Amino acid sequence: MILIVDDNGNFIDRIINLIEDSENIASISTASNFEEARLFLDANDPNIVLLDINLPGKNGLEILKIIKKKKKDCEVIMLTNHADEYYKTQCQELGAKHFLDKSNDFLMVPSLIDQYCEQVN
C-alpha cells in the first residue's frame, strides 16, 4: 500500500500514472494536507509514503515524525521542490529513506518502489 501526500493535484496524477502499472503495488491512496495524512495513518499501515515537505496545515516533516514514531517499517520517500541540503539533512535525520527533487528525480520513484518490494519479499 502506497500513500501519496501532496497538495498539488497535477503532481499526484503524474505520480499515480507513473507507478500504477507496477505489479508490486496493491493500492494507492492520497492525502492533500497534514490532517488527511494523519487520519489515514491512524487507520492504515502503508508500506511506502511519498511525502512532500510543503503542505497545508503542518508541513511534511511533522508527518514524517508521526510515521517514524508509529509506523517504523514504513519507507518514506520525500519528493519536494525544496531539495536543498538543509531539508535533505533534516529529512534523513528524521528517518526518510530517500530525498528526491520533484523536478529532477521524479522518474526514480518506480525503481525505488521496486527496490523496496524486492527487499521485503
Side-chain angles (χ1 to χ4, degrees), residues 60-100:
L61 298 176
E62 296 303 316
I63 294 291
L64 179 56
K65 290 175 187 176
I66 291 169
I67 292 168
K68 288 303 163 180
K69 184 177 181 181
K70 296 181 177 181
K71 317 282 186 193
K72 295 186 185 342
D73 294 335
C74 180
E75 180 152 323
V76 178
I77 301 171
M78 301 301 296
L79 279 164
T80 184
N81 287 322
H82 300 287
D84 57 53
E85 199 60 37
Y86 171 78
Y87 281 117
K88 181 177 182 177
T89 300
Q90 266 198 311
C91 291
Q92 289 174 334
E93 287 175 357
L94 290 172
K97 180 78 173 194
H98 303 282
F99 185 88
L100 306 177

Side-chain angles (χ1 to χ4, degrees), residues 43-54:
N44 299 280
D45 290 317
N47 305 93
I48 299 172
V49 175
L50 305 177
L51 180 59
D52 189 13
I53 291 174
N54 216 15

Side-chain angles (χ1 to χ4, degrees), residues 2-6 8 11-13 15-16 19 28-32 37 40 48-52 79:
I2 293 180
L3 173 63
I4 303 168
V5 184
D6 200 296
N8 182 327
F11 179 77
I12 289 174
D13 291 343
I15 199 80
I16 288 172
I19 65 174
I28 301 171
S29 298
T30 64
S32 61
F40 182 89
I48 299 172
V49 175
L50 305 177
L51 180 59
D52 189 13
L79 279 164

